[in-house]
Amino acid sequence: MKIETFDALVIGAGPAGSSAALELAKSGAETLLIDRKARIGEQPHCGEFVSAKLFSEVELNPAFIHQKIDTMESWLADFDIRKSIDPDFRVISKSESPSKGYIIDRVRFDRELARSAAAAGATVISSSSIASLTGSEWLINTSGSFFSVTPKFVIAADGPHSATAAIQGLKSQALLLGSQIEAPLVTKSTRTTVILSPAFRGGYAWIFPKGAVANVGLGVVEKGGGAPAQLLEKFIYALLKMNIICAGALARYSGAIPVSGLRERLIVDNVLYVGDAAGVTHPITGSGIAQAVMSGKLAGKAVANAIKENDPNLILHYDTEIRELYEGVMTHALSKRRVWEKHWDDEDFSRLCDRTWIGFKGYGKREAKNAEA
């Protein structure tokens, strides 16, 4: 079996992995970027919203933008899903908050990042995944053919179900399971809509407009949240009755979103975890594109510097930088999620949301350390 030698192996060509590979390749490091998908970028399972702040951190092609977003509207809703036909859906209250950003084309965004890494000199291979690790030798499966690499460093960007983390014996992350369609809109909009209801256990539903269509979906906790695809069909029916969307689905996606905050260990041996695999997604909203890009860039730079200076300890700067950027925000959000899940079945769901949802004033108040209050 052929054994290849690279300075760095990057596992996963999403925003985090491709950003890392780009930084490494620009530094001159011999970089291998692999992704399990046959076509990198397909298919996204997120709402495709990014904060305007991302434009200050990464150069985005305006052609990747579907539309601008000005505000986020949060609904509290009573959704009786016990009826299999014509479920009752009633909006109790609405509130609006600033939320400057954009709905982007994730397929084109992800693929362009991977192409940029390749143009900078990285070797990019799709339809490839990690099969095993023996000593320092990583076995890679590419469409049924196998080869091994012995990199100096590895960057794990292989998502919420990280195979790298499993190989290294790390704990699984708490997940939201999401299901989404792209639906025709009755009326165009410049705001995102988030729907909070006891029916969406531990998560929420969303309507994210992108021109004449919208991403319509929901996420619920992995344990006890029910089948998201079935719940989504009932939600779609409610939106049809409200004349918000038209019948039909131009696309259908599903996926998982980590909501347990930063991993306790972001570096294990010579492996650095980034993006969803690192848990940089927000524990309440599940947003993570901007953090994925930043974590990838920082990991790539740290590894590039360690290679250049021939000092493995320099990768530790990555852990420090990520925690300085995100640990405070993530810890606060995680405290809100613990309260959210613990009191989900309390009678006053509206009060719970006021206390824990990022679009409401109560979110800014700190929770007790044990989150029991």
Side-chain angles (χ1 to χ4, degrees), residues 84-253:
S84 59
I85 300 176
D86 196 13
D88 294 326
F89 184 91
R90 181 172 60 92
V91 178
I92 299 170
S93 65
K94 296 181 181 181
S95 66
E96 197 164 297
S97 56
S99 183
K100 299 292 184 182
Y102 304 88
I103 303 294
I104 64 170
D105 186 330
R106 271 294 304 274
V107 174
R108 296 182 66 187
F109 175 68
D110 285 16
R111 192 168 294 157
E112 186 59 29
L113 274 175
R115 285 172 175 164
S116 296
T123 300
V124 183
I125 308 177
S126 63
S127 299
S128 300
S129 58
I130 293 300
S132 64
L133 170 63
T134 305
S136 61
E137 190 174 308
W138 295 78
L139 183 64
I140 297 175
N141 180 357
T142 301
S143 299
S145 297
F146 293 85
F147 68 97
S148 294
V149 296
T150 54
K152 296 174 183 175
F153 298 97
V154 175
I155 294 180
D158 48 350
H161 297 290
S162 172
T164 312
I167 286 172
Q168 291 198 302
L170 302 188
K171 288 174 57 178
S172 298
Q173 301 182 89
L175 302 173
L176 286 185
L177 301 183
S179 187
Q180 175 177 276
I181 66 165
E182 184 179 279
L185 274 174
V186 172
T187 304
K188 293 181 180 181
S189 174
T190 59
R191 66 173 180 265
T192 57
T193 302
V194 166
I195 301 92
L196 303 165
S197 168
F200 310 128
R201 179 169 288 277
Y204 60 92
W206 59 83
I207 307 167
F208 285 7
K210 46 183 187 180
V213 300
N215 290 328
V216 175
L218 56 86
V220 293
V221 288
E222 184 177 22
K223 297 179 180 179
Q230 295 176 14
L231 186 56
L232 177 60
E233 291 305 314
K234 296 181 179 182
F235 179 54
I236 291 168
Y237 185 81
L239 296 183
L240 287 168
K241 286 183 63 179
M242 296 172 70
N243 201 36
I244 292 174
I245 61 173
C246 304
L250 286 76
R252 189 176 295 271
Y253 323 117

Side-chain angles (χ1 to χ4, degrees), residues 269-315:
D269 299 326
N270 67 335
V271 180
L272 294 76
Y273 287 84
V274 298
D276 283 2
V280 296
T281 47
H282 195 279
I284 288 290
T285 67
S287 62
I289 299 175
Q291 302 97 291
V293 170
M294 181 56 68
S295 65
K297 290 178 68 173
L298 292 177
K301 288 179 179 180
V303 169
N305 197 31
I307 293 169
K308 179 182 177 181
E309 300 296 331
N310 195 27
D311 183 357
N313 290 324
L314 293 179
I315 63 173

